[in-house]
Amino acid sequence: MVESYRDGKWAAFRKRIFGKRPSTIIFNVVLYVVFTLIAFCTLYPFLHVVIESLKSVIPTDTGIPKYTYNLTAYLAVFKTNGLMWSFLWSIIVVVVSVVTHVFFCMLTAYPLSKKQLKGRMFFLLYVLITMMFSGGLIPFYMLIQDLNLMDNPLVYILPGLVSAFDVIIAKNFLQGIPRDLEESAKLDGASDYKIFFRIYMPLSLPIMATLALWCGVGKWNDWMTGVLYMANSPDLQLIQNYLRRMLIDTTSSSVGGVGDIEIKNMAASVQMATIVVGTLPIVLIYPFVQKYFVKGVILGSIKG
């Protein structure tokens, strides 16, 4: 009786997963195999990096190296002078950039979502033109110089304060919020600012989380800004610039007091450990904003 019960449970599970008809079963099996291969191809590089970061080489008299797995490479990375400050400074820049970017994008998108705004099409066209045309790197570099933002921490925040693409996505999302809420608030005497902060902002958490994720990942992975505009201020460069310098200097210098011979033996492990350190914060944050991210992208893209 127990076996028949287990067989019935297994049959019900199999039908729920693979279907009942032979054609449906074949299709689902092929689909699962394809997506399993895609998942493996996606996850394998990350697993390879983590495994290699834990690998340490033990020199032997025979010339055949032995491998062991420990946290030596991570200890060498975190013993490096300046890493923790670079990590903390990057967090400060990301938090300030995300807060200001999301706020000003929402503030720009709110009036553009109102069809009664005079000159609305002109402003929308003005925003769209900035998405299609760019002056290029050299004019932008000259602009940063003229604004006195060279070796200035504000260069991480001001140029990316508003994004045309993010404004359009936020505008489409705000247009999907029922106007009845706004009309009811106006009947109660609420101003446009009160409506924006008390009604639209709380209802826009999905799109705000989406914009925050885009901005946060972009700022965390940004290394070009430090190379071009903060070259004379290495202490104010972000974590990616610091890790880049570590990757370059790994094979030629000691890290955190580790001897030259040992660091050369575990150079690859240190490089992989720096990659994990630079990637881990985003990987840990993403699961908490994933549900808002998916909802915000879908709603922000389908509304007219």
Side-chain angles (χ1 to χ4, degrees):
M1 186 174 181
V2 176
E3 293 181 357
S4 62
Y5 175 75
R6 291 179 178 176
D7 292 340
K9 294 286 289 184
W10 167 248
F13 174 78
R14 185 180 57 195
K15 291 179 181 180
R16 187 170 66 252
I17 298 298
F18 297 102
K20 299 179 180 179
R21 295 183 300 177
S23 58
T24 305
I25 294 175
I26 294 174
F27 175 78
N28 287 333
V29 168
V30 173
L31 198 64
Y32 286 137
V33 170
V34 170
F35 278 104
T36 300
L37 292 175
I38 294 175
F40 175 78
C41 294
T42 303
L43 294 176
Y44 177 76
F46 294 98
L47 296 176
H48 174 74
V49 169
V50 173
I51 293 173
E52 289 296 323
S53 67
L54 298 173
K55 183 186 294 185
S56 296
V57 180
I58 301 177
T60 60
D61 296 335
T62 60
I64 301 175
K66 293 183 179 181
Y67 296 97
T68 184
Y69 294 91
N70 50 44
L71 299 176
T72 303
Y74 289 94
L75 295 177
V77 170
F78 282 102
K79 285 181 181 178
T80 311
N81 296 327
L83 176 64
M84 296 309 298
W85 161 245
S86 179
F87 197 88
L88 178 61
W89 172 242
S90 298
I91 293 177
I92 294 174
V93 170
V94 168
V95 171
V96 174
S97 299
V98 166
V99 172
T100 54
H101 177 80
V102 172
F103 175 74
F104 282 101
C105 283
M106 295 297 296
L107 196 64
T108 306
Y110 176 67
L112 293 177
S113 65
K114 305 303 177 184
K115 295 182 179 180
Q116 68 271 21
L117 176 67
K118 294 182 179 180
R120 177 173 176 267
M121 295 305 300
F122 169 77
F123 292 114
L124 282 175
L125 182 62
Y126 181 82
V127 172
L128 289 173
I129 287 177
T130 62
M131 294 176 58
M132 303 176 190
F133 303 98
S134 173
L137 180 60
I138 294 178
F140 186 76
Y141 185 90
M142 297 172 63
L143 176 63
I144 296 298
Q145 282 186 322
D146 293 339
L147 294 176
N148 295 321
L149 292 178
M150 298 294 293
D151 298 309
N152 189 334
L154 292 177
V155 74
Y156 292 118
I157 300 171
L158 293 182
L161 203 59
V162 177
S163 168
F165 179 79
D166 291 353
V167 168
I168 297 299
I169 294 293
K171 177 194 76 71
N172 293 340
F173 183 91
L174 293 175
Q175 287 182 181
I177 297 178
R179 284 185 51 85
D180 296 341
L181 298 175
E182 180 180 354
E183 294 174 356
S184 300
K186 286 187 175 181
L187 290 176
D188 293 336
S191 63
D192 289 330
Y193 291 101
K194 192 171 185 179
I195 293 173
F196 174 70
F197 286 105
R198 293 290 186 89
I199 297 178
Y200 279 86
M201 291 288 280
L203 294 176
S204 301
L205 287 179
I207 195 63
M208 291 170 62
T210 302
L211 301 184
L213 181 63
W214 286 345
C215 179
V217 172
K219 289 297 180 181
W220 185 264
N221 293 329
D222 182 21
W223 66 274
M224 182 65 75
T225 301
V227 172
L228 294 178
Y229 312 120
M230 300 293 290
N232 298 324
S233 302
D235 293 338
L236 294 179
Q237 291 182 345
L238 299 182
I239 185 68
Q240 301 301 331
N241 298 105
Y242 190 89
L243 296 179
R244 176 175 174 268
R245 292 200 302 269
M246 283 190 60
L247 292 175
I248 295 174
D249 299 338
T250 296
T251 56
S252 59
S253 63
S254 60
V255 179
V258 181
D260 289 341
I261 297 177
E262 186 176 353
I263 196 63
K264 289 180 180 179
N265 290 331
M266 66 176 196
S269 299
V270 173
Q271 291 176 355
M272 295 301 177
T274 57
I275 295 174
V276 174
V277 170
T279 309
L280 191 60
I282 300 299
V283 174
L284 295 178
I285 292 174
Y286 180 75
F288 297 99
V289 297
Q290 180 184 14
K291 59 179 180 180
Y292 298 109
F293 173 75
V294 175
K295 183 178 179 181
V297 170
I298 293 175
L299 294 179
S301 60
I302 64 177
K303 297 294 181 180

